[in-house]
Amino acid sequence: MVTVEVVGEDTYEVDVGALDGSEPTYADLLAAVDYSPHEVSVMVDGVPVPEDRPVEADHVRVLRLIQGG
């Protein structure tokens, strides 16, 4: 399980074992919580990670880059 914290919004628990592919990526993790890599940045330990990198963390923070208003 990976905890996905969308800053200022919700927190999700995602079972990476249930995601498609043998090595789920951060993009797969975002898709599981209905976000696009184009609208957010994924942070692990305060450092941005590429969306095509395999998930190796058990907690990620997601920062929305664009918000309506």
Side-chain angles (χ1 to χ4, degrees), residues 3-6 9-13 59:
T3 302
V4 179
E5 175 191 352
V6 181
E9 296 182 23
D10 292 320
T11 300
Y12 305 89
E13 294 292 329
H59 183 271

Side-chain angles (χ1 to χ4, degrees), residues 50-61:
E51 68 267 5
D52 61 349
R53 180 176 289 171
V55 176
E56 297 174 345
D58 59 359
H59 183 271
V60 300
R61 295 183 83 200

Side-chain angles (χ1 to χ4, degrees), residues 14-69:
V14 178
D15 180 3
V16 291
L19 298 177
D20 290 338
S22 59
E23 262 191 302
T25 64
Y26 289 102
D28 297 326
L29 197 62
L30 290 174
V33 295
D34 292 325
Y35 284 95
S36 163
H38 302 290
E39 65 181 318
V40 299
S41 183
V42 178
M43 310 285 283
V44 175
D45 297 327
V47 178
V49 294
E51 68 267 5
D52 61 349
R53 180 176 289 171
V55 176
E56 297 174 345
D58 59 359
H59 183 271
V60 300
R61 295 183 83 200
V62 175
L63 300 173
R64 292 196 64 188
L65 302 175
I66 301 170
Q67 293 186 343

